Amino acid sequence: MKEQLENIYNSAKSDIEKAQTISDIDEIRLKYLSRKGEFNAIKKGLKDLSDEDKRTVGAFANKITQELEEMLRAKHEAFYQKELNEKLKHDRIDITLSGKFIPQGKVHPLTSTTEEIVSIFQNLGFSVVSSELSPEVETEYYNFDMLNVPKDHPARDVQDTFYVKGMDGVVLRSQTSGAQIHAMENQKPPIKVISPGRVYRNENINARKNNFFHQIEGLYIDKGITFGDLKGVLNEFIRIYFGASRPTRFRSSFFPFTEPSAELDVQCIMCHGDGCRICGGTGWLEILGCGMVDVNVLKGVGIDPEVYSGFAFGMGVERLAMLKYAIDDIRLFFNNDKRFLEQF
Ligand code: DAH
């Protein structure tokens, strides 16, 4: 038995000498020294020996397995160091190299302006309607009919509104006001909502006008809402958005879906003397239309005008951004010139 052990020892030793890598070492350990390895197979025979032989052969077996363990450990360590050194030679990190520039995207000024306006109204108790209640491809029914816009109103003309080809009565919405109707159809008063989104108009494009732009619609319906509430909310919005020092004015106006109606102007800051191409030299720029929701509109959605009243407004996001950052051409928002966008 001792001879068997010696043979295994010698073969293990020669394997170890021939080993080249850490995984060779692991294999040898498995082959000879693991629970199912060759030494254990022999050691099982120890129990059949005399007590005397058990002691001497047992001691011998222990001695040679320990020796092998030690050889394996030493080789493993040596290979480990060698492999590590090789790796370090190739993977050297040069800490003197300058870092890589990773360009960072910026939030588009219209997105950040919209977010800012939305958050102001949220703080005033308005919530944002879900996007299904504010579709960009809309029916004439929501974009015009339910808003009390007469069948022969010029806004319905193809010169002003884009109609979807081959689909009768379907338009790219020309205003976010249709969201008011969706909101009132889906919710009982009190209703206090805003709805931001894109609108489309068949315009000649210039510094003031684009054929699509963005609006934020607002609607507040409850018992006893008055024009005073309208002015209070919008003045508070202006004060927070522009700061207290920017002159504004309410001007009476007309919209089919509000009565009375008004527009809110903010003093133009793009004027450099006469002939300002943004405000046309008037010194004022209209940023929103508003008014008390027309009785006909309330009746149309089944809200009793004897019980409820409310106000609505629709503001232009581009105008508000232009007036805050002194941007004198609406087209800058849409032609994706990085030199412009990087300033925000
Ligand atoms: N929809 C109007 C427009 O695009 C703006 C407007 C005026 C919205 C009065 C309103 C409103 O909600 O009450 O010019």
Side-chain angles (χ1 to χ4, degrees):
M1 186 165 184
K2 197 170 167 203
E3 211 172 291
Q4 269 181 311
L5 287 169
E6 257 166 4
N7 285 343
I8 299 172
Y9 173 77
N10 286 333
S11 122
K13 203 171 149 189
S14 103
D15 280 357
I16 293 171
E17 273 155 16
K18 279 185 254 158
Q20 301 286 336
T21 64
I22 288 185
S23 72
D24 291 347
I25 297 291
D26 292 338
E27 254 171 55
I28 295 168
R29 182 176 284 120
L30 205 66
K31 179 172 173 204
Y32 294 101
L33 297 172
S34 69
R35 209 158 51 82
K36 289 192 175 157
E38 296 192 10
F39 271 105
N40 257 359
I42 303 278
K43 279 190 198 160
K44 279 188 191 130
L46 277 173
K47 64 179 185 322
D48 302 326
L49 298 180
S50 69
D51 283 354
E52 175 65 22
D53 285 351
K54 250 186 223 165
R55 216 173 300 127
T56 54
V57 178
F60 178 68
N62 282 344
K63 182 172 152 272
I64 60 175
T65 48
Q66 269 169 24
E67 265 174 40
L68 287 175
E69 286 281 9
E70 176 51 30
M71 280 187 252
L72 286 170
R73 198 202 54 73
K75 271 259 162 148
H76 186 284
E77 173 67 19
F79 287 150
Y80 175 76
Q81 286 301 340
K82 196 169 141 233
E83 285 178 21
L84 187 65
N85 285 338
E86 285 294 315
K87 197 160 178 256
L88 285 178
K89 231 185 268 169
H90 297 114
D91 296 357
R92 271 273 282 287
I93 295 167
D94 184 349
I95 56 166
T96 63
L97 276 177
S98 55
K100 269 194 201 135
F101 175 70
I102 301 170
Q104 240 191 341
K106 303 247 170 111
V107 177
H108 193 281
L110 287 180
T111 306
S112 57
T113 301
T114 303
E115 283 170 358
E116 185 182 358
I117 297 168
V118 164
S119 114
I120 292 172
F121 281 104
Q122 283 173 329
N123 285 330
L124 293 171
F126 289 78
S127 52
V128 180
V129 301
S130 69
S131 54
E132 311 91 75
L133 298 183
S134 183
E136 280 180 33
V137 180
E138 185 56 285
T139 55
E140 275 192 274
Y141 178 80
Y142 285 102
N143 195 66
F144 296 125
D145 299 348
M146 292 297 279
L147 289 162
N148 201 33
V149 179
K151 286 283 181 212
D152 59 353
H153 195 283
R156 296 198 186 223
D157 211 274
V158 286
Q159 261 91 55
D160 291 299
T161 298
F162 290 114
Y163 283 79
V164 177
K165 249 194 196 146
M167 297 185 82
D168 207 22
V170 179
V171 299
L172 298 186
R173 67 173 171 193
S174 61
Q175 51 184 354
T176 45
S177 300
Q180 289 183 37
I181 306 299
H182 289 288
M184 289 187 283
E185 282 180 347
N186 270 275
Q187 194 186 332
K188 288 196 163 51
I191 302 167
K192 198 174 181 186
V193 293
I194 50 170
S195 178
R198 184 174 290 181
V199 302
Y200 301 82
R201 286 187 198 172
N202 196 355
E203 302 273 13
N204 288 323
I205 298 169
N206 57 37
R208 277 167 63 93
K209 287 181 172 166
N210 195 46
N211 53 10
F212 65 87
F213 56 98
H214 298 80
Q215 290 187 329
I216 296 177
E217 193 75 17
L219 177 72
Y220 186 9
I221 306 278
D222 203 349
K223 291 176 180 158
I225 300 293
T226 67
F227 201 88
D229 297 308
L230 164 71
K231 282 189 84 174
V233 165
L234 291 178
N235 278 334
E236 185 61 6
F237 161 72
I238 293 293
R239 194 186 61 80
I240 299 169
Y241 182 76
F242 285 113
S245 58
R246 185 73 69 89
T248 57
R249 66 179 189 192
F250 276 95
R251 199 162 29 77
S252 79
S253 183
F254 174 81
F255 298 100
F257 35 94
T258 43
E259 181 60 35
S261 304
E263 284 174 282
L264 182 61
D265 296 340
V266 176
Q267 201 170 62
C268 181
I269 53 166
M270 271 76 79
C271 286
H272 308 291
D274 47 39
C276 172
R277 62 177 178 171
I278 299 302
C279 71
T282 62
W284 296 95
L285 208 59
E286 177 221 326
I287 56 152
L288 62 84
C290 59
M292 301 306 290
V293 179
D294 195 285
V295 169
N296 285 338
V297 173
L298 292 176
K299 281 184 186 160
V301 292
I303 292 177
D304 186 351
E306 299 293 330
V307 183
Y308 291 102
S309 57
F311 66 77
F313 57 87
M315 54 181 66
V317 178
E318 283 78 1
R319 290 276 177 94
L320 280 155
M322 289 165 88
L323 281 165
K324 185 145 175 172
Y325 303 111
I327 297 162
D328 64 0
D329 192 327
I330 195 171
R331 292 167 293 193
L332 285 166
F333 291 118
F334 307 115
N335 55 20
N336 289 331
D337 187 333
K338 276 171 74 184
R339 291 167 303 178
F340 171 73
L341 295 173
E342 273 167 0
Q343 295 177 47
F344 295 89

